[in-house]
Amino acid sequence: MKDSYYHKGLRKKLVATIRAKGIEEEKVLQAIESIPRHFFLDNAFAELAYEDRALPIGKGQTISQPYTVAFQTELLGIQKGDKVLEIGTGSGYQACVLAALGAKVYTVERQESLYLKTQRLLEKMDVPHIRMYLDDGHLGLTQKAPFDKILVTAAAEKMPETLKEQLTIGGVLVVPVGMDTQQMYRLVRLSESDFYAQVYGDFQFVRFERGVKREK
Ligand code: SAH
């Protein structure tokens, strides 16, 4: 794994692209600029790492488009020290963006092979403040709840109520909801029972599946 001036140059261009698409938060743009996205991809796709597009990461899953990563991160409004739950570890790229912003990241993946592969990568990269779990994200992460921020990186058919309950008061949940295309929901927990919602469209994520998928 090597990060060169060539890659850094490509990242600067990528940041200019997503800035032009409407991402304004400087901290988020800096995080995208600092993380070598090509580390999270197989060699076959490394050349495309700094295009603003989703790419395959195996097992029918994708690393989200950088614009989408930035958009979701911006909606979360990460503050240093926030306790953040990510559902859908995938390549680990989004988790690293959150960690770069100073979050304490708890991330859950349901596919064992992706979980193991990403665990090895994050160990090699020596990224601090990310804890990984192999589990069904529909359950949230009860043993570590509540969270200041919760992010779902797969398409939920309907609003995941269990995750809402694992937010602190004042906490924020960002989740794409819908079947073929998704609307991005940003929910703020105002009290035990009250939530304030904002909706943004349209996005396309892989499905938020049920259950853990272990290798045989
Ligand atoms: N955040 C990831 C995006 C990966 S795509 C990245 O930066 O690369 C979405 C991921 O969600 C996939 O890896 C998929 O296996 C996972 N996923 C889908 N349903 C899930 C569930 N119920 N619990 C945990 N992870 C899930």
Side-chain angles (χ1 to χ4, degrees), residues 21 23 52 54 64-75 151-156 174-186 198-207:
K21 288 182 181 175
I23 303 298
D52 187 24
S64 303
Q65 181 183 346
Y67 169 77
T68 304
V69 171
F71 188 74
Q72 288 197 299
T73 308
E74 198 167 61
L75 288 184
L151 169 64
V152 183
T153 69
V174 171
V175 53
V177 183
M179 297 291 281
D180 294 337
T181 59
Q182 293 87 46
Q183 307 295 310
M184 192 73 75
Y185 279 74
R186 178 181 190 270
Q198 289 160 295
V199 188
Y200 308 81
D202 283 332
F203 292 87
Q204 267 194 322
F205 284 82
V206 294
R207 296 287 295 275

Side-chain angles (χ1 to χ4, degrees), residues 61-62 86 88-91 94 109-110 114 136-137 153 208-209:
Q61 306 305 315
T62 54
E86 179 197 23
T89 313
S91 68
Q94 169 78 71
E109 173 58 51
R110 70 178 282 274
L114 288 175
D136 181 355
T153 69
F208 190 19
E209 311 271 3

Side-chain angles (χ1 to χ4, degrees), residues 83-193:
K83 196 171 151 191
V84 181
L85 174 63
E86 179 197 23
I87 307 296
T89 313
S91 68
Y93 176 72
Q94 169 78 71
C96 285
V97 170
L98 297 170
L101 289 164
K104 282 179 271 171
V105 184
Y106 299 81
T107 181
V108 181
E109 173 58 51
R110 70 178 282 274
Q111 293 217 41
E112 187 178 30
S113 62
L114 288 175
Y115 165 82
L116 293 171
K117 188 175 174 192
T118 299
Q119 198 173 46
R120 283 195 297 273
L121 175 69
L122 296 188
E123 266 170 30
K124 239 193 324 192
M125 288 177 64
D126 203 16
V127 192
H129 309 308
I130 299 180
R131 287 201 228 171
M132 296 183 55
Y133 299 81
L134 176 63
D135 215 332
D136 181 355
H138 279 94
L139 310 171
L141 195 64
T142 323
Q143 68 270 37
K144 297 290 177 187
F147 296 94
D148 302 309
K149 311 282 156 70
I150 301 179
L151 169 64
V152 183
T153 69
E157 277 174 32
K158 53 186 179 50
M159 181 54 70
E161 297 296 325
T162 315
L163 298 183
K164 284 166 66 176
E165 287 160 19
Q166 295 188 14
L167 283 175
T168 56
I169 308 295
V172 179
L173 167 65
V174 171
V175 53
V177 183
M179 297 291 281
D180 294 337
T181 59
Q182 293 87 46
Q183 307 295 310
M184 192 73 75
Y185 279 74
R186 178 181 190 270
L187 240 65
V188 183
R189 186 172 203 174
L190 301 175
S191 70
E192 224 21 71
S193 54

